[in-house]
Amino acid sequence: MTWEELFFDLAFVFALTQFSQLLHEDHSWVGIGRTFILFVPVYWAWGGVTLYTNQRDVKALLDRAGILTLGLSGLLMALTIPRAYNDNGLLFIAAYLAGRALLAGLALRHVPFGRALFVGPYGFFVITGPLLVAGALTQGAARVVLWAVAAMIDLLSPWVAAHLAVQGRAQPAHYTHRYGLLIILVFGESVIQVGAVAVDDKLTVSRLAAVMAAYALVSVLWCAYFGYGLSDFRRALEVATDQPSLRRAILVYSHLFFSFGIITIAVGLGDMVPAPLEPLPPREAMLLFGGCALFLLTFAYVYWRIHRMIAWRRIGAGTACLLMAPLATLVPALAMVVSLVSVVVVMIVAEELAMRRQGGEPDHAMFEIGPRDPIDRGPSTESDA
């Protein structure tokens, strides 16, 4: 992992705060959908850079300058997110397409033009680009629909591209570290969201307790992911016979839902802190408990995709979160967040006991940012986003 990649991530962190703010302003299903539509291109832009740096030795000056410039594209996108559905729509799309075009230009130095144009994260923007521009030039529902179609094409592009070109193997250590860092960034934004809300008013005992409970929830979810997930992801990619397919499932697609679930959790926690002794309104409860369920059920899917075994502990925890959501509208929010923490802790203990029975233990090496795998980085026709 290079310093340029870490610097590039700074703009993505800012974008995460903007998504939280956008979702905070509209908790409805329509608001969640509109936020997700904007989240897809930002996530895809981050994923394209991650794949490129995984496949290439980016020590060259042109690559390093290109990654830093892509960070500027990400910053401009982040600045326009709050009003993307209003007067900043065209600027949002211009920044996004400029970044994708720059990434495609960097890739064309290594990949034949025909393949790069229509296959992979470097070229699919030539299909979605016109839809995005058309949406930016319209207003209201038409913009939402056009951008939703473009987002759907982006989501389907890795699967479509897999049928159009032979795909090579990625470097498991670097790739999993990058997606692990993504999760750290999103969790970090959750902590920032809670802190930003807490400092706006007097720090009463109940509010301090709410902050500690929110931090505990983020912490136990973090422990679950890094203690029992990321190391499993890496080992699976190292031995997979069809690594590209597995990589799309457990990293590209799953982490889209991991990330968005954490964003909704952050918004729900932010709404809980100001009035921890009051029940949550239905929409806030949906964000908080639904986000936890999305995270844990995605965690269960990844386990099934790797091992072809049902992760009953993770499914049980995710289902419990969903069942607790209606209760959160009747019981003080602080008590419900503590209950969420308890559910995840029980799941972690069960995971730990199961792992020890199998003779394993959490791979703490995955908490470190280590060197890349020593594999060849020759020309590739990758198609992940």
Side-chain angles (χ1 to χ4, degrees), residues 163-369:
H163 295 79
L164 300 179
V166 177
Q167 302 169 58
R169 296 178 68 87
Q171 305 172 63
H174 174 261
Y175 216 52
T176 51
H177 276 129
R178 287 294 293 156
Y179 278 89
L181 178 59
L182 166 67
I183 297 302
I184 289 178
L185 295 177
V186 188
F187 275 135
E189 197 280 328
S190 301
V191 175
I192 293 172
Q193 179 81 1
V194 170
V197 172
V199 299
D200 285 342
D201 206 345
K202 184 178 179 180
L203 293 176
T204 62
V205 173
S206 61
R207 182 165 294 192
L208 286 173
V211 170
M212 289 188 286
Y215 184 80
L217 179 60
V218 173
S219 297
V220 293
L221 290 172
W222 185 92
C223 289
Y225 175 88
F226 285 96
Y228 307 95
L230 194 60
S231 57
D232 200 25
F233 305 163
R234 175 179 174 176
R235 286 191 291 266
L237 293 182
E238 289 174 339
V239 301
T241 55
D242 185 6
Q243 192 208 60
S245 177
L246 183 64
R247 191 170 67 246
R248 285 193 301 273
I250 69 174
L251 293 179
V252 177
Y253 286 130
S254 293
H255 281 69
L256 173 68
F257 295 105
F258 275 136
S259 303
F260 197 73
I262 298 170
I263 290 174
T264 65
I265 292 170
V267 177
L269 290 175
D271 290 333
M272 179 273 297
V273 169
L277 301 182
E278 299 293 330
L280 286 171
R283 289 181 178 178
E284 282 78 354
M286 174 185 66
L287 285 175
L288 178 56
F289 289 83
C292 287
L294 178 60
F295 182 93
L296 294 170
L297 294 177
T298 301
F299 205 31
Y301 164 75
V302 171
Y303 186 89
W304 174 84
R305 185 61 179 78
I306 293 173
H307 302 285
R308 297 299 180 182
M309 297 173 61
I310 298 176
W312 291 112
R313 294 177 292 274
R314 301 176 187 183
I315 292 176
T319 302
C321 292
L322 287 176
L323 295 177
M324 291 164 62
L327 187 61
T329 63
L330 304 173
V331 177
L334 176 58
M336 294 307 301
V337 172
V338 172
S339 299
L340 277 177
V341 174
S342 301
V343 167
V344 181
V345 167
V346 169
M347 186 199 74
I348 290 175
V349 171
E351 294 275 355
E352 179 71 19
L353 293 175
M355 183 172 289
R356 292 186 182 279
R357 285 197 300 269
Q358 296 168 4
E361 60 182 16
D363 185 0
H364 296 293
M366 289 303 296
F367 290 87
E368 303 171 1
I369 298 179

Side-chain angles (χ1 to χ4, degrees), residues 40 44 124 128 149-163 248 253 383 385:
V40 169
W44 237 238
F124 259 87
T128 59
V149 172
M152 183 61 65
I153 293 173
D154 266 338
L155 290 174
L156 293 175
S157 63
W159 181 83
V160 173
H163 295 79
R248 285 193 301 273
Y253 286 130
S383 60

Side-chain angles (χ1 to χ4, degrees), residues 41 45 70 73 77 90-104 124-134 154:
L70 287 166
S73 170
M77 289 179 67
L90 192 57
L91 182 56
F92 174 81
I93 296 305
Y96 171 66
L97 293 180
R100 294 297 292 263
L102 174 57
L103 185 60
F124 259 87
F125 76 95
V126 301
I127 301 174
T128 59
L131 289 172
L132 293 170
V133 172
D154 266 338

Side-chain angles (χ1 to χ4, degrees), residues 2-220:
T2 65
W3 294 115
E4 288 78 12
E5 291 174 87
L6 297 177
F7 188 81
F8 165 80
D9 289 337
L10 294 178
F12 188 75
V13 174
F14 180 46
L16 293 175
T17 64
Q18 300 293 76
F19 285 121
S20 294
Q21 181 61 34
L22 191 64
L23 198 54
H24 178 76
E25 294 174 356
D26 188 355
H27 291 354
S28 67
W29 285 111
V30 172
I32 294 173
R34 283 158 59 101
T35 302
F36 185 76
I37 289 170
L38 292 181
F39 184 67
V40 169
V42 174
Y43 177 82
W44 237 238
W46 182 89
V49 174
T50 295
L51 178 62
Y52 181 76
T53 56
N54 181 267
Q55 296 295 297
R56 305 297 168 198
D57 186 346
V58 293
K59 294 180 181 179
L61 180 60
L62 183 59
D63 283 310
R64 295 166 65 187
I67 293 172
L68 293 179
T69 305
L70 287 166
L72 175 60
S73 170
L75 175 61
L76 293 176
M77 289 179 67
L79 288 172
T80 59
I81 286 171
R83 299 187 60 81
Y85 286 108
N86 297 309
D87 53 341
N88 282 342
L90 192 57
L91 182 56
F92 174 81
I93 296 305
Y96 171 66
L97 293 180
R100 294 297 292 263
L102 174 57
L103 185 60
L106 293 173
L108 288 176
R109 296 159 50 230
H110 310 283
V111 182
F113 179 79
R115 291 178 180 175
L117 187 61
F118 294 107
V119 178
Y122 316 122
F124 259 87
F125 76 95
V126 301
I127 301 174
T128 59
L131 289 172
L132 293 170
V133 172
L137 295 175
T138 61
Q139 296 290 335
R143 176 176 296 184
V144 175
V145 170
L146 287 169
W147 285 2
V149 172
M152 183 61 65
I153 293 173
D154 266 338
L155 290 174
L156 293 175
S157 63
W159 181 83
V160 173
H163 295 79
L164 300 179
V166 177
Q167 302 169 58
R169 296 178 68 87
Q171 305 172 63
H174 174 261
Y175 216 52
T176 51
H177 276 129
R178 287 294 293 156
Y179 278 89
L181 178 59
L182 166 67
I183 297 302
I184 289 178
L185 295 177
V186 188
F187 275 135
E189 197 280 328
S190 301
V191 175
I192 293 172
Q193 179 81 1
V194 170
V197 172
V199 299
D200 285 342
D201 206 345
K202 184 178 179 180
L203 293 176
T204 62
V205 173
S206 61
R207 182 165 294 192
L208 286 173
V211 170
M212 289 188 286
Y215 184 80
L217 179 60
V218 173
S219 297
V220 293

